Amino acid sequence: MKSVGSALTAADNVACAPPPPVGRIVGGMRSFFGAFMPATPANAHMESQRCTMAAPVGVADVTHKINDNYFWTMLCLFAFLSQFQPSEPFLVDFLVGDRGLSNRAVYTNVFDLFVYAHLPFVALVGLLSELPFATSRGMLVVGAMCSLTTVLLTRFGDGLQSQQAAQFTVAFAFASRMAVPALIFSRTSREQCQERVHAVKAIMLLSNCCSAALGEFLRDETGTPLANLFDISTVAQLLALVCVMLIPASPNGSEEAASQETEGSEAAGPETAQSAMPNWDCSGEILCR
């Protein structure tokens, strides 16, 4: 009977070997206690079931972590690049010196339009973000397009009308930044929401500081023309648009549904938290296989 029990134990170890180094530890323990606790069919079935379930859950956790890190990286890059405009501190100098507008025209006929358009666009972004076909990510994509259009209109536009049109596009671009916290809330666990929202705001402020310092250095120390500063801003806004478009969309069709799934996974116990996890990665396919 002792040799039969050892044979069953060895066969069970071969049929279901956990990944190393756990496999070596478990195999050694079972070999040591095999003579005293021979494997039974019921124990062998439970061990086999445990081994077949452990690997997919681990892969799903790793996949979710990779997707979350990718989302966070793209969002941070977008936050930095969207605010990186070395030309912004010298906008009045450029409009007066290079575009031939008077100071009075700039302050009364151009900048006033931004003030009037900003609040309605903020309300519009808030309403559109709740629609399934728009979402917070969609608002950020449109805002990045408007920001790129603003720089192009300012850099290459001639006359008062092009500069006035740029004030409407930049107003929507600024309003679309309100969707950044909403996107974080819908894609992040409750424990990380506050940390990530403040981190994104810090990244935006850092970008403003770095871009302004670079603009001052290029203009005052190297004598770079203001038009070249707008070229740098154009490249930064183009890269920001690429980054926000690379942020994966929620497959649920609605970020509100994704947020509810996130809250459900936090409220669930440890056994059901994995199944209630937000479903924007490929863990469902892995589990099905």
Side-chain angles (χ1 to χ4, degrees):
M1 292 297 293
K2 182 176 180 180
S3 60
V4 173
S6 300
L8 290 175
T9 303
D12 190 25
N13 288 333
V14 173
C16 180
V22 178
R24 293 195 294 268
I25 297 175
V26 175
M29 293 178 62
R30 296 193 60 179
S31 297
F32 179 78
F33 293 104
F36 305 98
M37 301 177 60
T40 62
N43 291 336
H45 176 71
M46 292 176 62
E47 184 69 10
S48 176
Q49 199 172 28
R50 181 192 66 79
C51 291
T52 56
M53 291 296 294
V57 172
V59 172
D61 289 337
V62 172
T63 304
H64 173 73
K65 185 66 175 178
I66 292 175
N67 290 342
D68 182 68
N69 290 338
Y70 173 77
F71 160 76
W72 178 236
T73 301
M74 289 296 103
L75 185 62
C76 290
L77 288 175
F78 164 75
F80 184 87
L81 293 171
S82 64
Q83 298 295 117
F84 193 83
Q85 300 188 41
S87 58
E88 196 69 15
F90 314 106
L91 179 58
V92 176
D93 295 343
F94 180 78
L95 294 179
V96 174
D98 292 40
R99 290 294 170 258
L101 300 179
S102 64
N103 286 326
R104 181 178 180 84
V106 169
Y107 287 105
T108 59
N109 298 328
V110 177
F111 288 167
D112 283 356
L113 298 178
F114 172 83
V115 178
Y116 300 146
H118 187 225
L119 181 59
F121 280 147
V122 169
L124 181 63
V125 168
L127 294 175
L128 293 179
S129 298
E130 297 297 324
L131 299 179
F133 65 86
T135 71
S136 300
R137 174 185 174 274
M139 291 296 97
L140 291 179
V141 172
V142 177
M145 293 179 180
C146 290
S147 185
L148 178 60
T149 303
T150 300
V151 180
L152 293 176
L153 285 174
T154 307
R155 170 68 176 85
F156 300 103
D158 291 328
L160 182 62
Q161 289 75 20
S162 61
Q163 305 306 326
Q164 289 177 332
Q167 296 305 304
F168 288 98
T169 56
V170 73
F172 189 90
F174 271 77
S176 67
R177 302 295 189 270
M178 303 293 294
V180 172
L183 184 62
I184 294 175
F185 292 151
S186 64
R187 303 290 188 90
T188 309
S189 61
R190 184 176 301 175
E191 292 78 6
Q192 293 180 307
C193 278
Q194 185 176 7
E195 175 185 351
R196 289 191 170 184
V197 168
H198 289 295
V200 168
K201 291 182 178 180
I203 290 173
M204 290 182 173
L205 293 176
L206 176 64
S207 178
N208 291 332
C209 177
C210 293
S211 62
L214 177 63
E216 286 285 351
F217 174 79
L218 292 178
R219 191 191 72 161
D220 298 339
E221 301 298 330
T222 65
T224 302
L226 294 180
N228 291 352
L229 298 183
F230 279 90
D231 295 337
I232 298 175
S233 298
T234 302
V235 175
Q237 298 314 300
L238 181 60
L239 293 176
L241 177 60
V242 172
C243 290
V244 73
M245 293 183 68
L246 290 177
I247 294 177
S250 175
N252 302 301
S254 172
E255 291 172 355
E256 181 180 0
S259 178
Q260 292 176 355
E261 289 185 8
T262 306
E263 294 178 359
S265 65
E266 294 168 356
E271 298 179 354
T272 59
Q274 182 65 34
S275 61
M277 189 174 294
N279 201 14
W280 56 77
D281 54 24
C282 58
S283 59
E285 296 182 12
I286 297 174
L287 292 175
C288 290
R289 293 174 187 171

